[in-house]
Amino acid sequence: MRMTRESLLIATLVELADNLVDEFDVIEVLTMLCNRCVETIDIDAAGVMLASPAGELQYVASSSETMRELELYQIQTDEGPCIDCFNSGESIIDRTSTTP
Protein backbone atom coordinates (compact mmCIF):
# COMPACT_ATOMS: atom_id res chain seq x y z
CA MET A 1 0.00 0.00 0.00
CA ARG A 2 1.39 3.39 -1.05
CA MET A 3 1.37 6.05 1.66
CA THR A 4 -0.05 9.47 0.95
CA ARG A 5 2.35 12.41 0.98
CA GLU A 6 0.91 13.60 4.30
CA SER A 7 1.23 10.14 5.89
CA LEU A 8 4.81 9.86 4.67
CA LEU A 9 5.65 13.28 6.07
CA ILE A 10 4.19 12.37 9.45
CA ALA A 11 6.05 9.04 9.45
CA THR A 12 9.28 10.87 8.58
CA LEU A 13 8.85 13.36 11.42
CA VAL A 14 8.16 10.53 13.88
CA GLU A 15 11.21 8.60 12.65
CA LEU A 16 13.33 11.75 12.84
CA ALA A 17 12.21 12.41 16.42
CA ASP A 18 12.96 8.78 17.34
CA ASN A 19 16.48 9.11 15.92
CA LEU A 20 17.38 12.40 17.56
CA VAL A 21 18.60 11.00 20.85
CA ASP A 22 21.86 11.70 22.67
CA GLU A 23 24.01 9.43 20.50
CA PHE A 24 22.29 9.57 17.10
CA ASP A 25 24.20 8.96 13.87
CA VAL A 26 24.01 12.19 11.83
CA ILE A 27 24.85 10.45 8.55
CA GLU A 28 22.17 7.81 9.13
CA VAL A 29 19.55 10.50 9.84
CA LEU A 30 20.56 12.56 6.79
CA THR A 31 20.48 9.46 4.59
CA MET A 32 16.99 8.67 5.85
CA LEU A 33 15.93 12.25 5.04
CA CYS A 34 17.40 11.97 1.52
CA ASN A 35 15.44 8.75 0.94
CA ARG A 36 12.25 10.29 2.26
CA CYS A 37 12.70 13.35 0.00
CA VAL A 38 12.83 11.01 -2.98
CA GLU A 39 9.64 9.28 -1.85
CA THR A 40 7.76 12.40 -0.77
CA ILE A 41 8.45 14.97 -3.47
CA ASP A 42 8.79 12.57 -6.39
CA ILE A 43 12.39 13.29 -7.36
CA ASP A 44 14.97 10.89 -8.75
CA ALA A 45 17.63 11.37 -6.07
CA ALA A 46 18.71 13.59 -3.20
CA GLY A 47 22.03 14.34 -1.58
CA VAL A 48 23.51 16.41 1.21
CA MET A 49 26.75 18.34 1.22
CA LEU A 50 27.83 20.40 4.19
CA ALA A 51 30.40 23.17 4.38
CA SER A 52 33.33 22.69 6.71
CA PRO A 53 34.35 25.57 9.00
CA ALA A 54 36.94 26.42 6.34
CA GLY A 55 34.16 26.78 3.75
CA GLU A 56 34.88 23.59 1.82
CA LEU A 57 31.95 21.42 0.74
CA GLN A 58 31.98 17.82 1.88
CA TYR A 59 29.72 14.95 0.84
CA VAL A 60 27.64 13.66 3.75
CA ALA A 61 24.68 11.57 2.58
CA SER A 62 22.57 10.59 -0.43
CA SER A 63 19.64 8.49 -1.51
CA SER A 64 21.65 6.37 -3.97
CA GLU A 65 25.12 5.37 -5.06
CA THR A 66 24.68 7.31 -8.30
CA MET A 67 23.89 10.48 -6.34
CA ARG A 68 26.90 9.88 -4.09
CA GLU A 69 29.12 9.67 -7.16
CA LEU A 70 27.57 12.84 -8.61
CA GLU A 71 28.14 14.73 -5.36
CA LEU A 72 31.77 13.60 -5.19
CA TYR A 73 32.30 14.52 -8.86
CA GLN A 74 30.99 18.02 -8.19
CA ILE A 75 33.43 18.42 -5.31
CA GLN A 76 36.35 17.14 -7.41
CA THR A 77 35.61 19.37 -10.39
CA ASP A 78 34.38 22.34 -8.34
CA GLU A 79 31.34 22.73 -10.57
CA GLY A 80 27.73 21.63 -10.71
CA PRO A 81 24.40 22.67 -9.23
CA CYS A 82 25.39 22.09 -5.60
CA ILE A 83 28.56 24.15 -6.04
CA ASP A 84 26.59 26.88 -7.82
CA CYS A 85 23.97 26.96 -5.05
CA PHE A 86 26.64 27.11 -2.33
CA ASN A 87 28.59 29.88 -4.05
CA SER A 88 25.59 32.03 -4.99
CA GLY A 89 23.30 31.29 -2.04
CA GLU A 90 20.44 30.79 -4.49
CA SER A 91 18.35 27.70 -5.26
CA ILE A 92 19.14 25.85 -8.45
CA ILE A 93 15.99 24.35 -9.94
CA ASP A 94 16.07 22.05 -12.96
CA ARG A 95 12.65 22.19 -14.53
CA THR A 96 13.53 19.77 -17.32
CA SER A 97 12.08 16.33 -17.01
CA THR A 98 12.10 13.18 -19.07
CA THR A 99 8.96 11.94 -17.31
CA PRO A 100 5.66 12.79 -19.06
Side-chain angles (χ1 to χ4, degrees):
M1 183 171 98
R2 182 149 164 80
M3 295 177 81
T4 67
R5 182 175 282 180
E6 292 80 17
S7 297
L8 191 54
L9 180 59
I10 290 168
T12 300
L13 292 174
V14 168
E15 188 174 354
L16 182 60
D18 287 345
N19 281 297
L20 294 179
V21 293
D22 288 337
E23 296 180 21
F24 70 94
D25 183 336
V26 174
I27 294 172
E28 187 176 303
V29 170
L30 291 174
T31 300
M32 182 266 301
L33 287 174
C34 287
N35 290 327
R36 290 297 172 87
C37 284
V38 170
E39 296 170 19
T40 305
I41 58 177
D42 195 30
I43 56 176
D44 293 326
V48 176
M49 284 193 214
L50 297 177
S52 71
E56 297 174 351
L57 284 177
Q58 299 175 340
Y59 164 80
V60 179
S62 67
S63 61
S64 69
E65 180 64 20
T66 302
M67 187 59 167
R68 182 187 77 80
E69 291 171 1
L70 178 61
E71 299 282 59
L72 293 173
Y73 182 76
Q74 289 183 84
I75 291 170
Q76 290 174 344
T77 61
D78 197 32
E79 62 181 55
C82 294
I83 304 298
D84 294 344
C85 179
F86 177 72
N87 290 333
S88 71
E90 297 181 18
S91 297
I92 308 297
I93 300 172
D94 181 2
R95 300 238 187 252
T96 60
S97 176
T98 57
T99 306

